[in-house]
PDB file of all heavy atoms in Angstrom:
ATOM      1  N   GLU A 824      81.048 121.237  53.990  1.00 92.00           N
ATOM      2  CA  GLU A 824      82.524 121.420  54.118  1.00 92.00           C
ATOM      3  C   GLU A 824      82.887 122.175  52.835  1.00 92.00           C
ATOM      4  O   GLU A 824      82.769 121.623  51.662  1.00 92.00           O
ATOM      5  CB  GLU A 824      83.222 120.107  54.237  1.00 92.00           C
ATOM      6  CG  GLU A 824      82.817 119.386  55.465  1.00 92.00           C
ATOM      7  CD  GLU A 824      83.384 118.038  55.572  1.00 92.00           C
ATOM      8  OE1 GLU A 824      84.012 117.576  54.569  1.00 92.00           O
ATOM      9  OE2 GLU A 824      83.195 117.292  56.563  1.00 92.00           O
ATOM     10  N   LEU A 825      83.505 123.373  52.939  1.00 93.00           N
ATOM     11  CA  LEU A 825      83.860 124.148  51.819  1.00 93.00           C
ATOM     12  C   LEU A 825      85.371 124.316  51.704  1.00 93.00           C
ATOM     13  O   LEU A 825      86.122 124.519  52.694  1.00 93.00           O
ATOM     14  CB  LEU A 825      83.312 125.606  52.013  1.00 93.00           C
ATOM     15  CG  LEU A 825      81.809 125.751  52.436  1.00 93.00           C
ATOM     16  CD1 LEU A 825      81.418 127.144  52.630  1.00 93.00           C
ATOM     17  CD2 LEU A 825      80.903 125.114  51.318  1.00 93.00           C
ATOM     18  N   LYS A 826      85.903 124.211  50.524  1.00 92.00           N
ATOM     19  CA  LYS A 826      87.326 124.380  50.268  1.00 92.00           C
ATOM     20  C   LYS A 826      87.456 125.516  49.223  1.00 92.00           C
ATOM     21  O   LYS A 826      87.016 125.376  48.089  1.00 92.00           O
ATOM     22  CB  LYS A 826      87.977 123.144  49.676  1.00 92.00           C
ATOM     23  CG  LYS A 826      88.168 122.076  50.731  1.00 92.00           C
ATOM     24  CD  LYS A 826      89.126 120.928  50.310  1.00 92.00           C
ATOM     25  CE  LYS A 826      89.394 119.941  51.296  1.00 92.00           C
ATOM     26  NZ  LYS A 826      90.319 118.855  50.873  1.00 92.00           N
ATOM     27  N   PRO A 827      88.094 126.656  49.692  1.00 94.00           N
ATOM     28  CA  PRO A 827      88.332 127.754  48.698  1.00 94.00           C
ATOM     29  C   PRO A 827      89.187 127.314  47.579  1.00 94.00           C
ATOM     30  O   PRO A 827      89.860 126.275  47.646  1.00 94.00           O
ATOM     31  CB  PRO A 827      89.091 128.811  49.614  1.00 94.00           C
ATOM     32  CG  PRO A 827      88.641 128.470  51.003  1.00 94.00           C
ATOM     33  CD  PRO A 827      88.553 126.967  50.991  1.00 94.00           C
ATOM     34  N   ARG A 828      89.207 128.069  46.514  1.00 92.00           N
ATOM     35  CA  ARG A 828      90.007 127.727  45.337  1.00 92.00           C
ATOM     36  C   ARG A 828      91.517 127.773  45.605  1.00 92.00           C
ATOM     37  O   ARG A 828      92.316 127.173  44.929  1.00 92.00           O
ATOM     38  CB  ARG A 828      89.670 128.633  44.183  1.00 92.00           C
ATOM     39  CG  ARG A 828      88.269 128.496  43.629  1.00 92.00           C
ATOM     40  CD  ARG A 828      88.032 129.394  42.458  1.00 92.00           C
ATOM     41  NE  ARG A 828      86.598 129.345  42.041  1.00 92.00           N
ATOM     42  CZ  ARG A 828      86.077 128.472  41.200  1.00 92.00           C
ATOM     43  NH1 ARG A 828      86.886 127.614  40.622  1.00 92.00           N
ATOM     44  NH2 ARG A 828      84.823 128.504  40.889  1.00 92.00           N
ATOM     45  N   TYR A 829      91.920 128.494  46.628  1.00 92.00           N
ATOM     46  CA  TYR A 829      93.341 128.580  47.053  1.00 92.00           C
ATOM     47  C   TYR A 829      93.435 128.729  48.531  1.00 92.00           C
ATOM     48  O   TYR A 829      92.541 129.144  49.178  1.00 92.00           O
ATOM     49  CB  TYR A 829      94.003 129.795  46.342  1.00 92.00           C
ATOM     50  CG  TYR A 829      93.261 131.063  46.509  1.00 92.00           C
ATOM     51  CD1 TYR A 829      93.475 131.877  47.697  1.00 92.00           C
ATOM     52  CD2 TYR A 829      92.351 131.504  45.551  1.00 92.00           C
ATOM     53  CE1 TYR A 829      92.794 133.038  47.835  1.00 92.00           C
ATOM     54  CE2 TYR A 829      91.639 132.763  45.763  1.00 92.00           C
ATOM     55  CZ  TYR A 829      91.852 133.488  46.872  1.00 92.00           C
ATOM     56  OH  TYR A 829      91.167 134.641  47.013  1.00 92.00           O
ATOM     57  N   PRO A 830      94.601 128.279  49.131  1.00 94.00           N
ATOM     58  CA  PRO A 830      94.736 128.447  50.593  1.00 94.00           C
ATOM     59  C   PRO A 830      94.786 130.019  50.902  1.00 94.00           C
ATOM     60  O   PRO A 830      95.412 130.718  50.160  1.00 94.00           O
ATOM     61  CB  PRO A 830      96.046 127.765  50.865  1.00 94.00           C
ATOM     62  CG  PRO A 830      96.812 127.771  49.590  1.00 94.00           C
ATOM     63  CD  PRO A 830      95.754 127.685  48.468  1.00 94.00           C
ATOM     64  N   ILE A 831      94.201 130.388  52.002  1.00 96.00           N
ATOM     65  CA  ILE A 831      94.101 131.728  52.352  1.00 96.00           C
ATOM     66  C   ILE A 831      95.186 132.049  53.489  1.00 96.00           C
ATOM     67  O   ILE A 831      94.970 131.745  54.627  1.00 96.00           O
ATOM     68  CB  ILE A 831      92.736 132.199  52.857  1.00 96.00           C
ATOM     69  CG1 ILE A 831      91.711 131.716  51.831  1.00 96.00           C
ATOM     70  CG2 ILE A 831      92.633 133.636  53.119  1.00 96.00           C
ATOM     71  CD1 ILE A 831      90.250 131.835  52.362  1.00 96.00           C
ATOM     72  N   PHE A 832      96.364 132.555  53.023  1.00 96.00           N
ATOM     73  CA  PHE A 832      97.398 132.868  54.002  1.00 96.00           C
ATOM     74  C   PHE A 832      97.192 134.243  54.571  1.00 96.00           C
ATOM     75  O   PHE A 832      96.251 134.990  54.221  1.00 96.00           O
ATOM     76  CB  PHE A 832      98.796 132.782  53.308  1.00 96.00           C
ATOM     77  CG  PHE A 832      99.291 131.440  53.065  1.00 96.00           C
ATOM     78  CD1 PHE A 832      98.981 130.755  51.858  1.00 96.00           C
ATOM     79  CD2 PHE A 832     100.025 130.746  54.003  1.00 96.00           C
ATOM     80  CE1 PHE A 832      99.464 129.477  51.709  1.00 96.00           C
ATOM     81  CE2 PHE A 832     100.436 129.481  53.807  1.00 96.00           C
ATOM     82  CZ  PHE A 832     100.203 128.794  52.689  1.00 96.00           C
ATOM     83  N   GLY A 833      98.064 134.588  55.544  1.00 94.00           N
ATOM     84  CA  GLY A 833      97.933 135.927  56.213  1.00 94.00           C
ATOM     85  C   GLY A 833      97.895 137.086  55.242  1.00 94.00           C
ATOM     86  O   GLY A 833      98.762 137.156  54.355  1.00 94.00           O
ATOM     87  N   GLY A 834      96.962 137.933  55.389  1.00 95.00           N
ATOM     88  CA  GLY A 834      96.837 139.134  54.547  1.00 95.00           C
ATOM     89  C   GLY A 834      96.036 138.861  53.284  1.00 95.00           C
ATOM     90  O   GLY A 834      95.715 139.784  52.475  1.00 95.00           O
ATOM     91  N   TRP A 835      95.671 137.610  53.015  1.00 96.00           N
ATOM     92  CA  TRP A 835      94.933 137.248  51.792  1.00 96.00           C
ATOM     93  C   TRP A 835      93.501 137.326  52.086  1.00 96.00           C
ATOM     94  O   TRP A 835      92.986 137.207  53.172  1.00 96.00           O
ATOM     95  CB  TRP A 835      95.302 135.745  51.342  1.00 96.00           C
ATOM     96  CG  TRP A 835      96.692 135.596  50.841  1.00 96.00           C
ATOM     97  CD1 TRP A 835      97.759 136.453  51.037  1.00 96.00           C
ATOM     98  CD2 TRP A 835      97.197 134.537  50.034  1.00 96.00           C
ATOM     99  NE1 TRP A 835      98.933 136.028  50.424  1.00 96.00           N
ATOM    100  CE2 TRP A 835      98.559 134.807  49.808  1.00 96.00           C
ATOM    101  CE3 TRP A 835      96.651 133.405  49.488  1.00 96.00           C
ATOM    102  CZ2 TRP A 835      99.366 134.010  49.068  1.00 96.00           C
ATOM    103  CZ3 TRP A 835      97.443 132.557  48.765  1.00 96.00           C
ATOM    104  CH2 TRP A 835      98.769 132.852  48.521  1.00 96.00           C
ATOM    105  N   ASN A 836      92.723 137.502  50.944  1.00 97.00           N
ATOM    106  CA  ASN A 836      91.237 137.667  50.976  1.00 97.00           C
ATOM    107  C   ASN A 836      90.593 136.579  50.126  1.00 97.00           C
ATOM    108  O   ASN A 836      91.231 136.067  49.177  1.00 97.00           O
ATOM    109  CB  ASN A 836      90.901 139.083  50.483  1.00 97.00           C
ATOM    110  CG  ASN A 836      91.529 140.222  51.264  1.00 97.00           C
ATOM    111  OD1 ASN A 836      91.076 140.548  52.407  1.00 97.00           O
ATOM    112  ND2 ASN A 836      92.563 140.829  50.723  1.00 97.00           N
ATOM    113  N   TYR A 837      89.332 136.319  50.477  1.00 96.00           N
ATOM    114  CA  TYR A 837      88.572 135.431  49.623  1.00 96.00           C
ATOM    115  C   TYR A 837      87.053 135.813  49.906  1.00 96.00           C
ATOM    116  O   TYR A 837      86.595 135.995  51.009  1.00 96.00           O
ATOM    117  CB  TYR A 837      88.760 133.982  50.122  1.00 96.00           C
ATOM    118  CG  TYR A 837      88.037 133.014  49.188  1.00 96.00           C
ATOM    119  CD1 TYR A 837      88.408 132.861  47.863  1.00 96.00           C
ATOM    120  CD2 TYR A 837      87.015 132.139  49.668  1.00 96.00           C
ATOM    121  CE1 TYR A 837      87.835 131.913  47.049  1.00 96.00           C
ATOM    122  CE2 TYR A 837      86.388 131.207  48.834  1.00 96.00           C
ATOM    123  CZ  TYR A 837      86.835 131.133  47.584  1.00 96.00           C
ATOM    124  OH  TYR A 837      86.203 130.168  46.715  1.00 96.00           O
ATOM    125  N   SER A 838      86.315 135.975  48.803  1.00 96.00           N
ATOM    126  CA  SER A 838      84.851 136.320  48.832  1.00 96.00           C
ATOM    127  C   SER A 838      84.092 135.231  48.179  1.00 96.00           C
ATOM    128  O   SER A 838      84.494 134.693  47.147  1.00 96.00           O
ATOM    129  CB  SER A 838      84.607 137.689  48.145  1.00 96.00           C
ATOM    130  OG  SER A 838      85.060 137.661  46.786  1.00 96.00           O
ATOM    131  N   PHE A 839      82.947 134.879  48.806  1.00 96.00           N
ATOM    132  CA  PHE A 839      82.163 133.780  48.292  1.00 96.00           C
ATOM    133  C   PHE A 839      80.726 133.892  48.807  1.00 96.00           C
ATOM    134  O   PHE A 839      80.473 134.786  49.652  1.00 96.00           O
ATOM    135  CB  PHE A 839      82.678 132.437  48.728  1.00 96.00           C
ATOM    136  CG  PHE A 839      82.758 132.143  50.198  1.00 96.00           C
ATOM    137  CD1 PHE A 839      81.752 131.521  50.886  1.00 96.00           C
ATOM    138  CD2 PHE A 839      83.832 132.643  50.952  1.00 96.00           C
ATOM    139  CE1 PHE A 839      81.770 131.311  52.223  1.00 96.00           C
ATOM    140  CE2 PHE A 839      83.831 132.445  52.307  1.00 96.00           C
ATOM    141  CZ  PHE A 839      82.795 131.767  52.905  1.00 96.00           C
ATOM    142  N   ARG A 840      79.828 133.135  48.342  1.00 95.00           N
ATOM    143  CA  ARG A 840      78.495 133.145  48.847  1.00 95.00           C
ATOM    144  C   ARG A 840      77.995 131.636  48.922  1.00 95.00           C
ATOM    145  O   ARG A 840      78.453 130.797  48.162  1.00 95.00           O
ATOM    146  CB  ARG A 840      77.508 133.913  47.939  1.00 95.00           C
ATOM    147  CG  ARG A 840      77.280 133.305  46.546  1.00 95.00           C
ATOM    148  CD  ARG A 840      76.236 134.071  45.781  1.00 95.00           C
ATOM    149  NE  ARG A 840      76.778 135.434  45.464  1.00 95.00           N
ATOM    150  CZ  ARG A 840      75.976 136.405  44.997  1.00 95.00           C
ATOM    151  NH1 ARG A 840      74.762 136.203  44.805  1.00 95.00           N
ATOM    152  NH2 ARG A 840      76.494 137.612  44.796  1.00 95.00           N
ATOM    153  N   ILE A 841      77.119 131.422  49.931  1.00 96.00           N
ATOM    154  CA  ILE A 841      76.461 130.087  50.047  1.00 96.00           C
ATOM    155  C   ILE A 841      74.967 130.337  50.200  1.00 96.00           C
ATOM    156  O   ILE A 841      74.578 131.419  50.690  1.00 96.00           O
ATOM    157  CB  ILE A 841      77.083 129.255  51.152  1.00 96.00           C
ATOM    158  CG1 ILE A 841      76.695 129.922  52.523  1.00 96.00           C
ATOM    159  CG2 ILE A 841      78.556 129.094  51.050  1.00 96.00           C
ATOM    160  CD1 ILE A 841      77.119 129.022  53.691  1.00 96.00           C
ATOM    161  N   GLY A 842      74.213 129.340  49.982  1.00 95.00           N
ATOM    162  CA  GLY A 842      72.767 129.399  50.138  1.00 95.00           C
ATOM    163  C   GLY A 842      72.131 128.054  50.339  1.00 95.00           C
ATOM    164  O   GLY A 842      72.741 126.994  50.014  1.00 95.00           O
ATOM    165  N   TRP A 843      70.901 128.042  50.881  1.00 95.00           N
ATOM    166  CA  TRP A 843      70.230 126.756  51.054  1.00 95.00           C
ATOM    167  C   TRP A 843      68.723 127.123  51.317  1.00 95.00           C
ATOM    168  O   TRP A 843      68.361 128.328  51.494  1.00 95.00           O
ATOM    169  CB  TRP A 843      70.751 126.006  52.208  1.00 95.00           C
ATOM    170  CG  TRP A 843      70.701 126.672  53.528  1.00 95.00           C
ATOM    171  CD1 TRP A 843      69.678 126.538  54.468  1.00 95.00           C
ATOM    172  CD2 TRP A 843      71.571 127.614  54.056  1.00 95.00           C
ATOM    173  NE1 TRP A 843      69.930 127.343  55.593  1.00 95.00           N
ATOM    174  CE2 TRP A 843      71.129 127.980  55.354  1.00 95.00           C
ATOM    175  CE3 TRP A 843      72.759 128.181  53.653  1.00 95.00           C
ATOM    176  CZ2 TRP A 843      71.741 128.908  56.175  1.00 95.00           C
ATOM    177  CZ3 TRP A 843      73.446 129.106  54.449  1.00 95.00           C
ATOM    178  CH2 TRP A 843      72.968 129.497  55.667  1.00 95.00           C
ATOM    179  N   ASN A 844      67.885 126.114  51.431  1.00 95.00           N
ATOM    180  CA  ASN A 844      66.509 126.258  51.689  1.00 95.00           C
ATOM    181  C   ASN A 844      66.021 125.516  52.915  1.00 95.00           C
ATOM    182  O   ASN A 844      66.725 124.484  53.285  1.00 95.00           O
ATOM    183  CB  ASN A 844      65.652 125.796  50.490  1.00 95.00           C
ATOM    184  CG  ASN A 844      65.789 126.744  49.312  1.00 95.00           C
ATOM    185  OD1 ASN A 844      65.561 127.963  49.393  1.00 95.00           O
ATOM    186  ND2 ASN A 844      66.194 126.160  48.215  1.00 95.00           N
ATOM    187  N   ASN A 845      64.958 125.946  53.575  1.00 94.00           N
ATOM    188  CA  ASN A 845      64.383 125.254  54.744  1.00 94.00           C
ATOM    189  C   ASN A 845      62.852 125.334  54.663  1.00 94.00           C
ATOM    190  O   ASN A 845      62.274 126.287  54.018  1.00 94.00           O
ATOM    191  CB  ASN A 845      64.832 125.901  56.036  1.00 94.00           C
ATOM    192  CG  ASN A 845      66.224 125.576  56.414  1.00 94.00           C
ATOM    193  OD1 ASN A 845      67.100 126.324  56.237  1.00 94.00           O
ATOM    194  ND2 ASN A 845      66.497 124.389  56.998  1.00 94.00           N
ATOM    195  N   ASP A 846      62.197 124.402  55.270  1.00 93.00           N
ATOM    196  CA  ASP A 846      60.729 124.457  55.390  1.00 93.00           C
ATOM    197  C   ASP A 846      60.403 125.607  56.298  1.00 93.00           C
ATOM    198  O   ASP A 846      60.791 125.696  57.440  1.00 93.00           O
ATOM    199  CB  ASP A 846      60.224 123.115  55.994  1.00 93.00           C
ATOM    200  CG  ASP A 846      58.666 123.076  56.032  1.00 93.00           C
ATOM    201  OD1 ASP A 846      58.063 124.050  55.669  1.00 93.00           O
ATOM    202  OD2 ASP A 846      58.227 122.045  56.520  1.00 93.00           O
ATOM    203  N   LEU A 847      59.532 126.520  55.795  1.00 93.00           N
ATOM    204  CA  LEU A 847      59.206 127.692  56.571  1.00 93.00           C
ATOM    205  C   LEU A 847      58.423 127.390  57.894  1.00 93.00           C
ATOM    206  O   LEU A 847      58.555 128.091  58.926  1.00 93.00           O
ATOM    207  CB  LEU A 847      58.295 128.631  55.692  1.00 93.00           C
ATOM    208  CG  LEU A 847      57.832 129.979  56.324  1.00 93.00           C
ATOM    209  CD1 LEU A 847      59.109 130.826  56.705  1.00 93.00           C
ATOM    210  CD2 LEU A 847      56.949 130.752  55.400  1.00 93.00           C
ATOM    211  N   ALA A 848      57.750 126.289  57.913  1.00 92.00           N
ATOM    212  CA  ALA A 848      56.957 125.859  59.151  1.00 92.00           C
ATOM    213  C   ALA A 848      57.901 125.685  60.352  1.00 92.00           C
ATOM    214  O   ALA A 848      57.454 125.755  61.513  1.00 92.00           O
ATOM    215  CB  ALA A 848      56.178 124.636  58.819  1.00 92.00           C
ATOM    216  N   SER A 849      59.193 125.477  60.177  1.00 92.00           N
ATOM    217  CA  SER A 849      60.140 125.267  61.190  1.00 92.00           C
ATOM    218  C   SER A 849      60.472 126.569  61.919  1.00 92.00           C
ATOM    219  O   SER A 849      61.039 126.579  63.034  1.00 92.00           O
ATOM    220  CB  SER A 849      61.390 124.547  60.772  1.00 92.00           C
ATOM    221  OG  SER A 849      61.107 123.299  60.134  1.00 92.00           O
ATOM    222  N   PHE A 850      60.196 127.701  61.255  1.00 93.00           N
ATOM    223  CA  PHE A 850      60.640 129.004  61.761  1.00 93.00           C
ATOM    224  C   PHE A 850      59.432 130.000  61.975  1.00 93.00           C
ATOM    225  O   PHE A 850      59.626 130.977  62.667  1.00 93.00           O
ATOM    226  CB  PHE A 850      61.615 129.659  60.883  1.00 93.00           C
ATOM    227  CG  PHE A 850      62.812 128.763  60.504  1.00 93.00           C
ATOM    228  CD1 PHE A 850      62.793 127.904  59.468  1.00 93.00           C
ATOM    229  CD2 PHE A 850      63.921 128.771  61.331  1.00 93.00           C
ATOM    230  CE1 PHE A 850      63.842 127.031  59.173  1.00 93.00           C
ATOM    231  CE2 PHE A 850      64.983 127.916  61.086  1.00 93.00           C
ATOM    232  CZ  PHE A 850      65.005 127.110  59.975  1.00 93.00           C
ATOM    233  N   LEU A 851      58.330 129.744  61.375  1.00 91.00           N
ATOM    234  CA  LEU A 851      57.211 130.698  61.401  1.00 91.00           C
ATOM    235  C   LEU A 851      56.043 130.122  62.058  1.00 91.00           C
ATOM    236  O   LEU A 851      55.658 128.943  61.871  1.00 91.00           O
ATOM    237  CB  LEU A 851      56.853 131.074  59.933  1.00 91.00           C
ATOM    238  CG  LEU A 851      55.762 132.176  59.792  1.00 91.00           C
ATOM    239  CD1 LEU A 851      56.366 133.513  60.216  1.00 91.00           C
ATOM    240  CD2 LEU A 851      55.168 132.165  58.403  1.00 91.00           C
ATOM    241  N   ARG A 852      55.412 130.886  62.945  1.00 91.00           N
ATOM    242  CA  ARG A 852      54.152 130.456  63.539  1.00 91.00           C
ATOM    243  C   ARG A 852      53.110 131.578  63.543  1.00 91.00           C
ATOM    244  O   ARG A 852      53.465 132.809  63.469  1.00 91.00           O
ATOM    245  CB  ARG A 852      54.347 129.981  64.994  1.00 91.00           C
ATOM    246  CG  ARG A 852      54.774 131.049  65.959  1.00 91.00           C
ATOM    247  CD  ARG A 852      54.930 130.514  67.383  1.00 91.00           C
ATOM    248  NE  ARG A 852      55.388 131.493  68.314  1.00 91.00           N
ATOM    249  CZ  ARG A 852      54.679 132.405  68.931  1.00 91.00           C
ATOM    250  NH1 ARG A 852      53.344 132.443  68.740  1.00 91.00           N
ATOM    251  NH2 ARG A 852      55.231 133.269  69.782  1.00 91.00           N
ATOM    252  N   ARG A 853      51.859 131.241  63.634  1.00 85.00           N
ATOM    253  CA  ARG A 853      50.808 132.277  63.556  1.00 85.00           C
ATOM    254  C   ARG A 853      50.418 132.507  65.030  1.00 85.00           C
ATOM    255  O   ARG A 853      50.370 131.637  65.864  1.00 85.00           O
ATOM    256  CB  ARG A 853      49.626 131.673  62.836  1.00 85.00           C
ATOM    257  CG  ARG A 853      48.568 132.714  62.469  1.00 85.00           C
ATOM    258  CD  ARG A 853      47.491 132.174  61.533  1.00 85.00           C
ATOM    259  NE  ARG A 853      46.645 133.202  60.938  1.00 85.00           N
ATOM    260  CZ  ARG A 853      45.889 132.988  59.942  1.00 85.00           C
ATOM    261  NH1 ARG A 853      45.859 131.792  59.325  1.00 85.00           N
ATOM    262  NH2 ARG A 853      45.093 133.953  59.492  1.00 85.00           N
ATOM    263  N   ALA A 854      50.196 133.841  65.335  1.00 80.00           N
ATOM    264  CA  ALA A 854      49.810 134.243  66.665  1.00 80.00           C
ATOM    265  C   ALA A 854      48.519 133.658  67.020  1.00 80.00           C
ATOM    266  O   ALA A 854      47.630 133.237  66.149  1.00 80.00           O
ATOM    267  CB  ALA A 854      49.831 135.770  66.807  1.00 80.00           C
ATOM    268  N   ALA A 855      48.232 133.574  68.336  1.00 74.00           N
ATOM    269  CA  ALA A 855      46.980 132.949  68.795  1.00 74.00           C
ATOM    270  C   ALA A 855      45.759 133.794  68.314  1.00 74.00           C
ATOM    271  O   ALA A 855      45.768 134.999  68.093  1.00 74.00           O
ATOM    272  CB  ALA A 855      46.946 132.956  70.351  1.00 74.00           C
ATOM    273  N   GLY A 856      44.699 133.060  68.004  1.00 66.00           N
ATOM    274  CA  GLY A 856      43.512 133.631  67.455  1.00 66.00           C
ATOM    275  C   GLY A 856      43.203 133.166  66.111  1.00 66.00           C
ATOM    276  O   GLY A 856      44.043 133.079  65.183  1.00 66.00           O
TER     277      GLY A 856
END
């Protein structure tokens, strides 16, 4: 749950970044062979 530093009313802008990590084994597999 993210709360910007100020409420974003009509015509207002806000730029931000988020990030996180995951175990690669949940998304990557090796082809047969």
Side-chain angles (χ1 to χ4, degrees):
E824 299 171 357
L825 313 177
K826 285 192 176 182
R828 293 183 186 270
Y829 51 85
I831 308 170
F832 283 91
W835 290 20
N836 301 282
Y837 188 63
S838 57
F839 63 94
R840 70 177 63 193
I841 66 172
W843 64 94
N844 291 304
N845 286 99
D846 184 1
L847 183 59
S849 301
F850 306 91
L851 185 74
R852 65 177 177 84
R853 194 168 189 167

